Amino acid sequence: MRRIPRTKGAISGFLIVLLGLWGALIPFVGPYFDYAMHSDQTWQWFSDRFWLEVLPGVVTVIGGLILLRGATRASNSLGAMIALAGGLWYIAGPTVSMLWNDGAITIGPPIGAHNLTRTLEWLGFHYALGGLITLFSAYALGFMAALPIVDERIVGRTVATGAAAGAAGAVAGRATAPRREPAPAADAPTERVPAGTAATRTDAPADTRTGAAADTATAPADAPTEADRPETDRPRSRTGRFFRRRRATTRT
């Protein structure tokens, strides 16, 4: 079932309902305001009034209510088509009535005193009324036809597939995430080191000691230092030997 928001046909349906109520009631209440056709009597009933004014008004109201309450493309299109039929009958009905009235239009004539009033009565009872109903119902019908077609079954499957993929990704992320080792408790016992002992580990290999410490431990106490050696015994750098050679060459 292809469902659409109810607001898609609400405005057109509301206007169509108002126009249908006007068309069905104005023949009976119009004489109160000197706005009438065929008779100036209020609430006067005869067959042509039913077929040409009341019936199309009822059909138009039904179509507008379907547009107001419809939630699917098919129901709204049906309501627009019903209202369209009512509007077209308001326009063509007086002319078609000559088929059963020996070529005469018995729904008229208008009772207005002036030509402008009589013209407005024809427009308000039939022609302009039917034209407006046809306009709004045709607009609603075309609007429904222009809406994109979306099948709820396809949308539901797409949403379900996306949700399943997201859940699978979350599970995979938790499975591949590195584990964090718990931090040691604050009250865990610590190893005490006796006073006067070195803070280094005793099980470290002997070759990891530094060269300075090893030399200090193995060198005798009376060994001469670098400063006590004579200048000739000291190791010479390449730069020093270069300058000395130049000095010796210059002297000779």
Side-chain angles (χ1 to χ4, degrees):
M1 184 69 67
R2 297 165 183 171
R3 302 182 66 85
I4 58 175
R6 289 184 177 178
T7 56
K8 294 298 182 182
I11 297 177
S12 299
F14 178 72
L15 295 175
I16 289 172
V17 169
L18 290 182
L19 292 173
L21 291 175
W22 168 274
L25 295 178
I26 194 61
F28 303 102
V29 299
Y32 289 112
F33 312 100
D34 296 329
Y35 188 80
M37 292 185 67
H38 184 76
S39 176
D40 57 355
Q41 300 295 322
T42 58
W43 300 102
Q44 186 177 5
W45 182 269
F46 52 92
S47 61
D48 284 343
R49 176 161 289 178
F50 169 77
W51 290 108
L52 300 178
E53 294 173 344
V54 177
L55 180 60
V58 173
V59 171
T60 302
V61 170
I62 292 174
L65 290 176
I66 294 175
L67 275 173
L68 280 174
R69 302 291 299 174
T72 62
R73 183 190 302 270
S75 61
N76 285 355
S77 299
L78 177 62
M81 292 181 67
I82 292 174
L84 180 62
L88 292 176
W89 184 247
Y90 268 119
I91 298 173
T95 305
V96 176
S97 66
M98 293 189 297
L99 296 175
W100 62 79
N101 287 323
D102 298 329
I105 300 177
T106 58
I107 198 66
I111 307 178
H114 303 284
N115 292 333
L116 178 60
T117 306
R118 290 193 290 268
T119 302
L120 292 177
E121 287 172 350
W122 271 113
L123 292 176
F125 274 76
H126 289 280
Y127 299 120
L129 175 63
L132 290 175
I133 295 173
T134 302
L135 173 65
F136 290 117
S137 57
Y139 170 78
L141 189 62
F143 185 75
M144 293 301 152
L147 287 177
I149 299 175
V150 179
D151 198 335
E152 285 191 347
R153 294 172 296 180
I154 298 176
V155 174
R157 286 197 296 267
T158 304
V159 173
T161 304
V171 173
R174 289 196 298 267
T176 56
R179 292 186 177 181
R180 296 183 178 179
E181 296 183 358
D187 55 350
T190 58
E191 184 180 356
R192 295 183 179 180
V193 180
T197 59
T200 58
R201 297 185 60 177
T202 57
D203 56 347
D207 54 354
T208 59
R209 299 177 182 178
T210 60
D215 295 343
T216 304
T218 56
D222 54 351
T225 60
E226 188 71 22
D228 299 335
R229 293 182 182 180
E231 186 178 356
T232 56
D233 296 341
R234 294 179 183 178
R236 298 176 181 178
S237 61
R238 294 181 180 180
T239 307
R241 284 182 290 180
F242 174 74
F243 283 109
R244 288 183 181 180
R245 288 178 182 177
R246 290 196 62 178
R247 290 176 185 175
T249 305
T250 306
R251 289 176 183 177
T252 58

